[in-house]
């Protein structure tokens, strides 16, 4: 293939690395939400471990 043809190639697939990064980000947000919810519940009820 010539350089001109190679420059016109458009990638279309979502890579596994990108999917893994998105899933880890979502899991981090869920963990943060759980921690925040637990902290709020402990503050309002006055209980500790």
């Amino acid at each position: 293939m010539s350089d001109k043809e190679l420059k016109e190639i458009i990638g279309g697939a979502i890579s596994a690395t990108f999917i893994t990064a998105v899933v880890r980000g979502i899991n981090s947000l869920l963990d943060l939400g759980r921690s925040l919810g637990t902290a709020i519940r402990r503050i309002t009820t006055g209980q500790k471990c």
Side-chain angles (χ1 to χ4, degrees):
M1 295 182 103
S2 69
D3 287 339
K4 183 179 178 183
E5 291 173 331
L6 289 172
K7 288 179 183 177
E8 292 178 6
I9 295 175
I10 299 173
I14 296 176
S15 68
T17 305
F18 178 73
I19 293 171
T20 302
V22 170
V23 169
R24 284 185 181 176
I26 292 170
N27 284 338
S28 295
L29 286 175
L30 290 174
D31 289 340
L32 181 64
R34 284 188 197 108
S35 298
L36 185 61
T38 301
I40 292 170
R41 187 176 64 241
R42 285 184 183 170
I43 290 170
T44 58
T45 60
Q47 294 179 348
K48 294 189 177 181
C49 291

PDB file of all heavy atoms in Angstrom, residues 10-45:
ATOM      1  N   ILE A  10      -9.260   4.388   8.183  1.00  0.00           N
ATOM      2  CA  ILE A  10      -9.937   4.857   9.388  1.00  0.00           C
ATOM      3  C   ILE A  10     -10.168   3.663  10.300  1.00  0.00           C
ATOM      4  O   ILE A  10     -10.788   2.679   9.902  1.00  0.00           O
ATOM      5  CB  ILE A  10     -11.292   5.516   9.037  1.00  0.00           C
ATOM      6  CG1 ILE A  10     -11.055   6.725   8.137  1.00  0.00           C
ATOM      7  CG2 ILE A  10     -12.019   5.916  10.304  1.00  0.00           C
ATOM      8  CD1 ILE A  10     -12.331   7.327   7.611  1.00  0.00           C
ATOM      9  N   GLY A  11      -9.678   3.762  11.530  1.00  0.00           N
ATOM     10  CA  GLY A  11      -9.898   2.695  12.498  1.00  0.00           C
ATOM     11  C   GLY A  11     -11.325   2.755  13.017  1.00  0.00           C
ATOM     12  O   GLY A  11     -11.884   3.818  13.227  1.00  0.00           O
ATOM     13  N   GLY A  12     -11.944   1.600  13.228  1.00  0.00           N
ATOM     14  CA  GLY A  12     -13.334   1.619  13.635  1.00  0.00           C
ATOM     15  C   GLY A  12     -13.642   0.826  14.889  1.00  0.00           C
ATOM     16  O   GLY A  12     -14.664   1.033  15.513  1.00  0.00           O
ATOM     17  N   ALA A  13     -12.777  -0.044  15.265  1.00  0.00           N
ATOM     18  CA  ALA A  13     -13.082  -0.916  16.390  1.00  0.00           C
ATOM     19  C   ALA A  13     -12.682  -0.252  17.706  1.00  0.00           C
ATOM     20  O   ALA A  13     -11.708   0.486  17.788  1.00  0.00           O
ATOM     21  CB  ALA A  13     -12.337  -2.242  16.245  1.00  0.00           C
ATOM     22  N   ILE A  14     -13.471  -0.500  18.728  1.00  0.00           N
ATOM     23  CA  ILE A  14     -13.133  -0.046  20.079  1.00  0.00           C
ATOM     24  C   ILE A  14     -12.188  -1.086  20.668  1.00  0.00           C
ATOM     25  O   ILE A  14     -12.486  -2.278  20.671  1.00  0.00           O
ATOM     26  CB  ILE A  14     -14.395   0.094  20.940  1.00  0.00           C
ATOM     27  CG1 ILE A  14     -15.303   1.173  20.369  1.00  0.00           C
ATOM     28  CG2 ILE A  14     -14.030   0.398  22.378  1.00  0.00           C
ATOM     29  CD1 ILE A  14     -16.616   1.309  21.090  1.00  0.00           C
ATOM     30  N   SER A  15     -11.083  -0.629  21.166  1.00  0.00           N
ATOM     31  CA  SER A  15     -10.087  -1.572  21.666  1.00  0.00           C
ATOM     32  C   SER A  15     -10.471  -2.101  23.041  1.00  0.00           C
ATOM     33  O   SER A  15     -11.230  -1.476  23.788  1.00  0.00           O
ATOM     34  CB  SER A  15      -8.713  -0.901  21.738  1.00  0.00           C
ATOM     35  OG  SER A  15      -8.711   0.096  22.732  1.00  0.00           O
ATOM     36  N   ALA A  16      -9.933  -3.236  23.368  1.00  0.00           N
ATOM     37  CA  ALA A  16     -10.186  -3.856  24.667  1.00  0.00           C
ATOM     38  C   ALA A  16      -9.623  -2.996  25.791  1.00  0.00           C
ATOM     39  O   ALA A  16     -10.182  -2.942  26.889  1.00  0.00           O
ATOM     40  CB  ALA A  16      -9.576  -5.246  24.716  1.00  0.00           C
ATOM     41  N   THR A  17      -8.529  -2.293  25.519  1.00  0.00           N
ATOM     42  CA  THR A  17      -7.938  -1.420  26.522  1.00  0.00           C
ATOM     43  C   THR A  17      -8.903  -0.296  26.890  1.00  0.00           C
ATOM     44  O   THR A  17      -9.046   0.055  28.062  1.00  0.00           O
ATOM     45  CB  THR A  17      -6.628  -0.819  25.991  1.00  0.00           C
ATOM     46  OG1 THR A  17      -5.764  -1.879  25.587  1.00  0.00           O
ATOM     47  CG2 THR A  17      -5.936   0.016  27.030  1.00  0.00           C
ATOM     48  N   PHE A  18      -9.560   0.265  25.890  1.00  0.00           N
ATOM     49  CA  PHE A  18     -10.523   1.340  26.137  1.00  0.00           C
ATOM     50  C   PHE A  18     -11.694   0.822  26.955  1.00  0.00           C
ATOM     51  O   PHE A  18     -12.128   1.479  27.904  1.00  0.00           O
ATOM     52  CB  PHE A  18     -11.009   1.914  24.804  1.00  0.00           C
ATOM     53  CG  PHE A  18     -12.039   2.995  24.957  1.00  0.00           C
ATOM     54  CD1 PHE A  18     -11.688   4.245  25.415  1.00  0.00           C
ATOM     55  CD2 PHE A  18     -13.366   2.739  24.651  1.00  0.00           C
ATOM     56  CE1 PHE A  18     -12.636   5.237  25.568  1.00  0.00           C
ATOM     57  CE2 PHE A  18     -14.321   3.719  24.795  1.00  0.00           C
ATOM     58  CZ  PHE A  18     -13.961   4.983  25.256  1.00  0.00           C
ATOM     59  N   ILE A  19     -12.203  -0.341  26.628  1.00  0.00           N
ATOM     60  CA  ILE A  19     -13.334  -0.920  27.361  1.00  0.00           C
ATOM     61  C   ILE A  19     -12.937  -1.179  28.809  1.00  0.00           C
ATOM     62  O   ILE A  19     -13.695  -0.877  29.740  1.00  0.00           O
ATOM     63  CB  ILE A  19     -13.825  -2.211  26.673  1.00  0.00           C
ATOM     64  CG1 ILE A  19     -14.430  -1.868  25.314  1.00  0.00           C
ATOM     65  CG2 ILE A  19     -14.833  -2.948  27.540  1.00  0.00           C
ATOM     66  CD1 ILE A  19     -14.752  -3.077  24.461  1.00  0.00           C
ATOM     67  N   THR A  20     -11.749  -1.703  29.020  1.00  0.00           N
ATOM     68  CA  THR A  20     -11.269  -1.963  30.373  1.00  0.00           C
ATOM     69  C   THR A  20     -11.165  -0.666  31.172  1.00  0.00           C
ATOM     70  O   THR A  20     -11.552  -0.621  32.343  1.00  0.00           O
ATOM     71  CB  THR A  20      -9.892  -2.651  30.323  1.00  0.00           C
ATOM     72  OG1 THR A  20     -10.022  -3.868  29.579  1.00  0.00           O
ATOM     73  CG2 THR A  20      -9.376  -2.967  31.713  1.00  0.00           C
ATOM     74  N   ALA A  21     -10.658   0.379  30.542  1.00  0.00           N
ATOM     75  CA  ALA A  21     -10.533   1.663  31.231  1.00  0.00           C
ATOM     76  C   ALA A  21     -11.903   2.212  31.618  1.00  0.00           C
ATOM     77  O   ALA A  21     -12.079   2.737  32.722  1.00  0.00           O
ATOM     78  CB  ALA A  21      -9.795   2.658  30.347  1.00  0.00           C
ATOM     79  N   VAL A  22     -12.886   2.090  30.740  1.00  0.00           N
ATOM     80  CA  VAL A  22     -14.235   2.580  31.037  1.00  0.00           C
ATOM     81  C   VAL A  22     -14.843   1.787  32.187  1.00  0.00           C
ATOM     82  O   VAL A  22     -15.423   2.356  33.115  1.00  0.00           O
ATOM     83  CB  VAL A  22     -15.126   2.506  29.779  1.00  0.00           C
ATOM     84  CG1 VAL A  22     -16.580   2.770  30.116  1.00  0.00           C
ATOM     85  CG2 VAL A  22     -14.647   3.494  28.729  1.00  0.00           C
ATOM     86  N   VAL A  23     -14.699   0.475  32.157  1.00  0.00           N
ATOM     87  CA  VAL A  23     -15.258  -0.371  33.218  1.00  0.00           C
ATOM     88  C   VAL A  23     -14.600  -0.058  34.556  1.00  0.00           C
ATOM     89  O   VAL A  23     -15.280   0.040  35.582  1.00  0.00           O
ATOM     90  CB  VAL A  23     -15.100  -1.865  32.855  1.00  0.00           C
ATOM     91  CG1 VAL A  23     -15.428  -2.758  34.031  1.00  0.00           C
ATOM     92  CG2 VAL A  23     -15.983  -2.211  31.666  1.00  0.00           C
ATOM     93  N   ARG A  24     -13.295   0.136  34.560  1.00  0.00           N
ATOM     94  CA  ARG A  24     -12.606   0.483  35.811  1.00  0.00           C
ATOM     95  C   ARG A  24     -13.069   1.833  36.328  1.00  0.00           C
ATOM     96  O   ARG A  24     -13.209   2.034  37.544  1.00  0.00           O
ATOM     97  CB  ARG A  24     -11.102   0.487  35.602  1.00  0.00           C
ATOM     98  CG  ARG A  24     -10.510  -0.892  35.531  1.00  0.00           C
ATOM     99  CD  ARG A  24      -9.009  -0.852  35.456  1.00  0.00           C
ATOM    100  NE  ARG A  24      -8.467  -2.205  35.368  1.00  0.00           N
ATOM    101  CZ  ARG A  24      -7.195  -2.470  35.214  1.00  0.00           C
ATOM    102  NH1 ARG A  24      -6.322  -1.492  35.114  1.00  0.00           N
ATOM    103  NH2 ARG A  24      -6.786  -3.713  35.151  1.00  0.00           N
ATOM    104  N   GLY A  25     -13.290   2.774  35.430  1.00  0.00           N
ATOM    105  CA  GLY A  25     -13.794   4.083  35.839  1.00  0.00           C
ATOM    106  C   GLY A  25     -15.167   3.987  36.463  1.00  0.00           C
ATOM    107  O   GLY A  25     -15.444   4.618  37.492  1.00  0.00           O
ATOM    108  N   ILE A  26     -16.038   3.193  35.863  1.00  0.00           N
ATOM    109  CA  ILE A  26     -17.387   3.007  36.412  1.00  0.00           C
ATOM    110  C   ILE A  26     -17.311   2.337  37.776  1.00  0.00           C
ATOM    111  O   ILE A  26     -18.007   2.737  38.720  1.00  0.00           O
ATOM    112  CB  ILE A  26     -18.264   2.198  35.430  1.00  0.00           C
ATOM    113  CG1 ILE A  26     -18.546   3.038  34.178  1.00  0.00           C
ATOM    114  CG2 ILE A  26     -19.562   1.756  36.080  1.00  0.00           C
ATOM    115  CD1 ILE A  26     -19.188   2.269  33.045  1.00  0.00           C
ATOM    116  N   ASN A  27     -16.473   1.320  37.889  1.00  0.00           N
ATOM    117  CA  ASN A  27     -16.325   0.639  39.184  1.00  0.00           C
ATOM    118  C   ASN A  27     -15.792   1.588  40.252  1.00  0.00           C
ATOM    119  O   ASN A  27     -16.223   1.530  41.411  1.00  0.00           O
ATOM    120  CB  ASN A  27     -15.397  -0.569  39.048  1.00  0.00           C
ATOM    121  CG  ASN A  27     -16.087  -1.736  38.384  1.00  0.00           C
ATOM    122  OD1 ASN A  27     -17.305  -1.824  38.386  1.00  0.00           O
ATOM    123  ND2 ASN A  27     -15.305  -2.620  37.795  1.00  0.00           N
ATOM    124  N   SER A  28     -14.873   2.462  39.870  1.00  0.00           N
ATOM    125  CA  SER A  28     -14.352   3.438  40.831  1.00  0.00           C
ATOM    126  C   SER A  28     -15.445   4.381  41.303  1.00  0.00           C
ATOM    127  O   SER A  28     -15.530   4.707  42.489  1.00  0.00           O
ATOM    128  CB  SER A  28     -13.210   4.240  40.204  1.00  0.00           C
ATOM    129  OG  SER A  28     -12.118   3.398  39.930  1.00  0.00           O
ATOM    130  N   LEU A  29     -16.287   4.836  40.378  1.00  0.00           N
ATOM    131  CA  LEU A  29     -17.398   5.711  40.751  1.00  0.00           C
ATOM    132  C   LEU A  29     -18.379   4.995  41.680  1.00  0.00           C
ATOM    133  O   LEU A  29     -18.868   5.590  42.648  1.00  0.00           O
ATOM    134  CB  LEU A  29     -18.129   6.202  39.507  1.00  0.00           C
ATOM    135  CG  LEU A  29     -17.407   7.268  38.693  1.00  0.00           C
ATOM    136  CD1 LEU A  29     -18.179   7.571  37.414  1.00  0.00           C
ATOM    137  CD2 LEU A  29     -17.208   8.523  39.499  1.00  0.00           C
ATOM    138  N   LEU A  30     -18.660   3.738  41.404  1.00  0.00           N
ATOM    139  CA  LEU A  30     -19.567   2.971  42.265  1.00  0.00           C
ATOM    140  C   LEU A  30     -18.978   2.794  43.659  1.00  0.00           C
ATOM    141  O   LEU A  30     -19.693   2.928  44.667  1.00  0.00           O
ATOM    142  CB  LEU A  30     -19.875   1.610  41.638  1.00  0.00           C
ATOM    143  CG  LEU A  30     -20.753   1.630  40.392  1.00  0.00           C
ATOM    144  CD1 LEU A  30     -20.855   0.236  39.787  1.00  0.00           C
ATOM    145  CD2 LEU A  30     -22.125   2.162  40.711  1.00  0.00           C
ATOM    146  N   ASP A  31     -17.686   2.490  43.736  1.00  0.00           N
ATOM    147  CA  ASP A  31     -17.029   2.346  45.039  1.00  0.00           C
ATOM    148  C   ASP A  31     -17.058   3.661  45.806  1.00  0.00           C
ATOM    149  O   ASP A  31     -17.283   3.674  47.026  1.00  0.00           O
ATOM    150  CB  ASP A  31     -15.588   1.872  44.872  1.00  0.00           C
ATOM    151  CG  ASP A  31     -15.499   0.429  44.422  1.00  0.00           C
ATOM    152  OD1 ASP A  31     -16.495  -0.314  44.601  1.00  0.00           O
ATOM    153  OD2 ASP A  31     -14.435   0.039  43.887  1.00  0.00           O
ATOM    154  N   LEU A  32     -16.823   4.759  45.116  1.00  0.00           N
ATOM    155  CA  LEU A  32     -16.873   6.066  45.754  1.00  0.00           C
ATOM    156  C   LEU A  32     -18.275   6.346  46.292  1.00  0.00           C
ATOM    157  O   LEU A  32     -18.433   6.844  47.403  1.00  0.00           O
ATOM    158  CB  LEU A  32     -16.455   7.143  44.757  1.00  0.00           C
ATOM    159  CG  LEU A  32     -16.438   8.578  45.270  1.00  0.00           C
ATOM    160  CD1 LEU A  32     -15.404   8.727  46.370  1.00  0.00           C
ATOM    161  CD2 LEU A  32     -16.148   9.524  44.128  1.00  0.00           C
ATOM    162  N   GLY A  33     -19.284   6.010  45.513  1.00  0.00           N
ATOM    163  CA  GLY A  33     -20.664   6.200  45.952  1.00  0.00           C
ATOM    164  C   GLY A  33     -21.006   5.355  47.164  1.00  0.00           C
ATOM    165  O   GLY A  33     -21.675   5.830  48.097  1.00  0.00           O
ATOM    166  N   ARG A  34     -20.544   4.128  47.181  1.00  0.00           N
ATOM    167  CA  ARG A  34     -20.787   3.261  48.343  1.00  0.00           C
ATOM    168  C   ARG A  34     -20.116   3.827  49.590  1.00  0.00           C
ATOM    169  O   ARG A  34     -20.713   3.856  50.672  1.00  0.00           O
ATOM    170  CB  ARG A  34     -20.249   1.855  48.076  1.00  0.00           C
ATOM    171  CG  ARG A  34     -21.106   1.044  47.160  1.00  0.00           C
ATOM    172  CD  ARG A  34     -20.621  -0.411  47.099  1.00  0.00           C
ATOM    173  NE  ARG A  34     -21.179  -1.060  45.934  1.00  0.00           N
ATOM    174  CZ  ARG A  34     -20.490  -1.380  44.848  1.00  0.00           C
ATOM    175  NH1 ARG A  34     -19.199  -1.147  44.784  1.00  0.00           N
ATOM    176  NH2 ARG A  34     -21.080  -1.955  43.809  1.00  0.00           N
ATOM    177  N   SER A  35     -18.878   4.276  49.441  1.00  0.00           N
ATOM    178  CA  SER A  35     -18.156   4.840  50.584  1.00  0.00           C
ATOM    179  C   SER A  35     -18.842   6.095  51.094  1.00  0.00           C
ATOM    180  O   SER A  35     -18.984   6.286  52.309  1.00  0.00           O
ATOM    181  CB  SER A  35     -16.716   5.166  50.185  1.00  0.00           C
ATOM    182  OG  SER A  35     -16.029   4.003  49.809  1.00  0.00           O
ATOM    183  N   LEU A  36     -19.256   6.946  50.190  1.00  0.00           N
ATOM    184  CA  LEU A  36     -19.937   8.172  50.580  1.00  0.00           C
ATOM    185  C   LEU A  36     -21.264   7.857  51.266  1.00  0.00           C
ATOM    186  O   LEU A  36     -21.603   8.456  52.282  1.00  0.00           O
ATOM    187  CB  LEU A  36     -20.161   9.049  49.353  1.00  0.00           C
ATOM    188  CG  LEU A  36     -20.755  10.425  49.597  1.00  0.00           C
ATOM    189  CD1 LEU A  36     -19.847  11.245  50.493  1.00  0.00           C
ATOM    190  CD2 LEU A  36     -20.987  11.130  48.273  1.00  0.00           C
ATOM    191  N   GLY A  37     -22.010   6.915  50.721  1.00  0.00           N
ATOM    192  CA  GLY A  37     -23.278   6.518  51.333  1.00  0.00           C
ATOM    193  C   GLY A  37     -23.093   5.944  52.718  1.00  0.00           C
ATOM    194  O   GLY A  37     -23.852   6.246  53.645  1.00  0.00           O
ATOM    195  N   THR A  38     -22.079   5.135  52.886  1.00  0.00           N
ATOM    196  CA  THR A  38     -21.788   4.555  54.197  1.00  0.00           C
ATOM    197  C   THR A  38     -21.403   5.640  55.187  1.00  0.00           C
ATOM    198  O   THR A  38     -21.849   5.628  56.345  1.00  0.00           O
ATOM    199  CB  THR A  38     -20.649   3.521  54.079  1.00  0.00           C
ATOM    200  OG1 THR A  38     -21.055   2.504  53.176  1.00  0.00           O
ATOM    201  CG2 THR A  38     -20.327   2.889  55.422  1.00  0.00           C
ATOM    202  N   ALA A  39     -20.592   6.584  54.739  1.00  0.00           N
ATOM    203  CA  ALA A  39     -20.176   7.671  55.624  1.00  0.00           C
ATOM    204  C   ALA A  39     -21.375   8.515  56.049  1.00  0.00           C
ATOM    205  O   ALA A  39     -21.503   8.867  57.224  1.00  0.00           O
ATOM    206  CB  ALA A  39     -19.130   8.540  54.932  1.00  0.00           C
ATOM    207  N   ILE A  40     -22.244   8.821  55.117  1.00  0.00           N
ATOM    208  CA  ILE A  40     -23.433   9.608  55.440  1.00  0.00           C
ATOM    209  C   ILE A  40     -24.328   8.853  56.417  1.00  0.00           C
ATOM    210  O   ILE A  40     -24.835   9.421  57.382  1.00  0.00           O
ATOM    211  CB  ILE A  40     -24.205   9.989  54.155  1.00  0.00           C
ATOM    212  CG1 ILE A  40     -23.387  10.984  53.335  1.00  0.00           C
ATOM    213  CG2 ILE A  40     -25.577  10.558  54.481  1.00  0.00           C
ATOM    214  CD1 ILE A  40     -23.936  11.251  51.956  1.00  0.00           C
ATOM    215  N   ARG A  41     -24.509   7.554  56.170  1.00  0.00           N
ATOM    216  CA  ARG A  41     -25.342   6.761  57.071  1.00  0.00           C
ATOM    217  C   ARG A  41     -24.750   6.695  58.465  1.00  0.00           C
ATOM    218  O   ARG A  41     -25.477   6.804  59.474  1.00  0.00           O
ATOM    219  CB  ARG A  41     -25.532   5.356  56.508  1.00  0.00           C
ATOM    220  CG  ARG A  41     -26.541   4.520  57.310  1.00  0.00           C
ATOM    221  CD  ARG A  41     -26.805   3.163  56.706  1.00  0.00           C
ATOM    222  NE  ARG A  41     -25.612   2.335  56.703  1.00  0.00           N
ATOM    223  CZ  ARG A  41     -25.034   1.848  55.602  1.00  0.00           C
ATOM    224  NH1 ARG A  41     -25.537   2.095  54.419  1.00  0.00           N
ATOM    225  NH2 ARG A  41     -23.957   1.111  55.684  1.00  0.00           N
ATOM    226  N   ARG A  42     -23.441   6.544  58.589  1.00  0.00           N
ATOM    227  CA  ARG A  42     -22.808   6.513  59.907  1.00  0.00           C
ATOM    228  C   ARG A  42     -22.935   7.844  60.631  1.00  0.00           C
ATOM    229  O   ARG A  42     -23.134   7.874  61.846  1.00  0.00           O
ATOM    230  CB  ARG A  42     -21.319   6.156  59.764  1.00  0.00           C
ATOM    231  CG  ARG A  42     -21.109   4.706  59.463  1.00  0.00           C
ATOM    232  CD  ARG A  42     -19.623   4.399  59.426  1.00  0.00           C
ATOM    233  NE  ARG A  42     -19.410   3.009  59.067  1.00  0.00           N
ATOM    234  CZ  ARG A  42     -18.224   2.507  58.774  1.00  0.00           C
ATOM    235  NH1 ARG A  42     -17.153   3.265  58.785  1.00  0.00           N
ATOM    236  NH2 ARG A  42     -18.104   1.239  58.469  1.00  0.00           N
ATOM    237  N   ILE A  43     -22.831   8.926  59.894  1.00  0.00           N
ATOM    238  CA  ILE A  43     -22.968  10.252  60.516  1.00  0.00           C
ATOM    239  C   ILE A  43     -24.386  10.470  61.016  1.00  0.00           C
ATOM    240  O   ILE A  43     -24.601  10.950  62.136  1.00  0.00           O
ATOM    241  CB  ILE A  43     -22.562  11.363  59.520  1.00  0.00           C
ATOM    242  CG1 ILE A  43     -21.058  11.329  59.283  1.00  0.00           C
ATOM    243  CG2 ILE A  43     -22.984  12.737  60.015  1.00  0.00           C
ATOM    244  CD1 ILE A  43     -20.600  12.209  58.145  1.00  0.00           C
ATOM    245  N   THR A  44     -25.379  10.093  60.207  1.00  0.00           N
ATOM    246  CA  THR A  44     -26.764  10.353  60.599  1.00  0.00           C
ATOM    247  C   THR A  44     -27.227   9.441  61.716  1.00  0.00           C
ATOM    248  O   THR A  44     -28.038   9.850  62.545  1.00  0.00           O
ATOM    249  CB  THR A  44     -27.708  10.202  59.386  1.00  0.00           C
ATOM    250  OG1 THR A  44     -27.574   8.893  58.835  1.00  0.00           O
ATOM    251  CG2 THR A  44     -27.417  11.239  58.334  1.00  0.00           C
ATOM    252  N   THR A  45     -26.726   8.199  61.765  1.00  0.00           N
ATOM    253  CA  THR A  45     -27.178   7.275  62.816  1.00  0.00           C
ATOM    254  C   THR A  45     -26.274   7.342  64.045  1.00  0.00           C
ATOM    255  O   THR A  45     -26.646   6.842  65.108  1.00  0.00           O
ATOM    256  CB  THR A  45     -27.209   5.823  62.303  1.00  0.00           C
ATOM    257  OG1 THR A  45     -25.896   5.437  61.888  1.00  0.00           O
ATOM    258  CG2 THR A  45     -28.193   5.678  61.162  1.00  0.00           C
TER     259      THR A  45
END
